[in-house]
Amino acid sequence: PPSTVSGYPLVASERPDSSRRIPCVRAMIRPIILLAALLSCTSAAVSGASPSLKPSLRPATTLRLSGGAAPSVPQPSATKSKQTIHDGREVYVLADSDAISAAVAESVAAIGKECIASQGTFTMCVPGGSIVKALSKLPPDSMDFSKVHVFFANERIGEYKCYKGAMDSFVDKCGIPHANVHKVGEGEPAEVAAAYEAEMLKCVAKNDKGIPVMDLVLLGTGEDGHVGSIHPNSDEVMQSGKGKVILPIDKGGKKSIAASMDVFCASSRIILSAAGAGRAPMVKAALSGDFEEWTVPAGLVKSEAGATAWLCDQESVATLNH
């Protein structure tokens, strides 16, 4: 329907030629006026008139509403303590790395089920390593996995460790169609990055900056603060905020691609994990903001319009408030 009803002739302009026709005309007008009011209300809802909606997250052609509720990351059931940082990031403290792995799977199951119920699909961007291993704990009956689409936060061209890890860990176990697992292609980094960017932009709704908006991004963190293939003081981290989507990497004989910081931060929900005493200095710097520019990429990961949660163990947050 049109955005307004002003273009529709609601009533004929000519006057009735007999007073006996007035009741009949009025009877005809009433339902038309009611229909016009309904069209107007529907148009306002779709255009984002409600202040609780954020239409910039999804363009009109792919707008998905979920009752107006802001995206959130549910608190894991095994949480020992919770802390909310001044900028809205939440820290859930769990007992150890095993508890973090279980919490990752629990969170993905809850978020995926919610997204599929509200919008019919669930898109997530995953790395390799401990995160993808944690997804082996996903219950196969936790959501309709035929509606799940998997993208990769980073990938080594030719080796495809992230893709293979996902297939072995949860894709086949949960019955995700292979066509919904968006594998990185073959070739030189620049052309592979361009092709993967096109694939992501084709399949995922974009925000008003032209960046694809994932329902969920999962990221592990390194002791140096790297996330995905975005390392401290690298060319890749310095592309943050420049509207890039997929970055080519060709260094030291290693050819790969990486989703940008802009993709991470455009996501509706982000979950980062950090375990062990070796990550404690990084966790403190990332969550306090006390670091020099480009030196702690994990500290730059913040959802612009949704929720960001850190899943940590007690060792990794030991110095957070000191």
Side-chain angles (χ1 to χ4, degrees):
S3 59
T4 67
V5 293
S6 59
Y8 281 85
L10 299 181
V11 293
S13 59
E14 56 266 28
R15 298 174 60 85
D17 23 44
S18 171
S19 61
R20 288 178 299 174
R21 297 178 58 188
I22 291 177
C24 180
V25 172
R26 285 176 178 167
M28 293 172 61
I29 291 174
R30 285 193 190 100
I32 295 174
I33 291 175
L34 290 173
L35 175 61
L38 177 61
L39 288 172
S40 178
C41 291
T42 303
S43 174
V46 172
S47 64
S50 170
S52 65
L53 301 180
K54 295 180 173 61
S56 63
L57 286 178
R58 307 276 183 182
T61 55
T62 52
L63 185 65
R64 305 178 204 168
L65 305 179
S66 56
S72 63
V73 174
Q75 178 171 314
S77 58
T79 299
K80 297 289 187 182
S81 63
K82 172 186 173 182
Q83 182 174 342
T84 302
I85 308 301
H86 64 87
D87 57 12
R89 289 177 292 172
E90 293 184 319
V91 182
Y92 297 118
V93 180
L94 299 115
D96 52 29
S97 59
D98 289 340
I100 290 176
S101 293
V104 168
E106 178 186 345
S107 298
V108 171
I111 293 168
K113 183 177 181 179
E114 175 191 343
C115 288
I116 291 169
S118 64
Q119 64 196 25
T121 60
F122 173 49
T123 57
M124 66 175 176
C125 185
V126 303
S130 61
I131 288 288
V132 79
K133 290 178 182 177
L135 295 178
S136 66
K137 300 178 185 295
L138 272 173
D141 60 351
S142 57
M143 68 184 88
D144 182 353
F145 281 97
S146 70
K147 300 183 184 301
V148 175
H149 284 260
V150 179
F151 292 85
F152 296 97
N154 56 301
E155 187 68 280
R156 185 78 58 82
I157 298 170
E159 296 184 15
Y160 304 110
K161 290 182 179 180
C162 295
Y163 173 80
K164 293 175 182 176
M167 298 298 288
D168 293 342
S169 176
F170 69 97
V171 170
D172 287 334
K173 169 190 169 185
C174 294
I176 298 175
H178 289 191
N180 291 7
V181 183
H182 300 270
K183 185 181 180 182
V184 173
E186 300 273 1
E188 293 301 309
E191 64 180 351
V192 172
Y196 204 62
E197 178 171 322
E199 174 81 359
M200 192 176 284
L201 291 171
K202 179 183 73 174
C203 299
V204 183
K206 301 177 287 293
N207 64 13
D208 56 3
K209 299 175 185 177
I211 305 298
V213 180
M214 295 286 172
D215 293 315
L216 175 63
V217 166
L218 296 172
L219 294 169
T221 58
E223 291 184 6
D224 64 352
H226 81 267
V227 287
S229 287
I230 299 182
H231 293 266
N233 298 312
S234 64
D235 294 337
E236 291 72 43
V237 74
M238 293 179 189
Q239 296 299 313
S240 302
K242 295 184 178 181
K244 304 292 185 180
V245 178
I246 302 296
L247 306 171
I249 304 174
D250 191 352
K251 297 177 182 177
K254 297 179 180 179
K255 299 181 178 183
S256 58
I257 60 100
S260 68
M261 187 66 68
D262 292 33
V263 169
F264 297 159
C265 294
S267 175
S268 296
R269 304 162 188 83
I270 307 169
I271 295 176
L272 303 98
S273 69
R279 286 179 173 79
M282 178 276 296
V283 169
K284 181 176 182 178
L287 292 174
S288 68
D290 186 15
F291 57 89
E292 295 183 8
E293 189 177 25
W294 313 131
T295 59
V296 185
L300 303 178
V301 181
K302 302 170 190 174
S303 176
E304 296 171 350
T308 305
W310 282 66
L311 305 182
C312 300
D313 66 1
Q314 294 171 324
E315 290 184 337
S316 66
V317 296
T319 62
L320 181 57
N321 296 314
H322 297 84

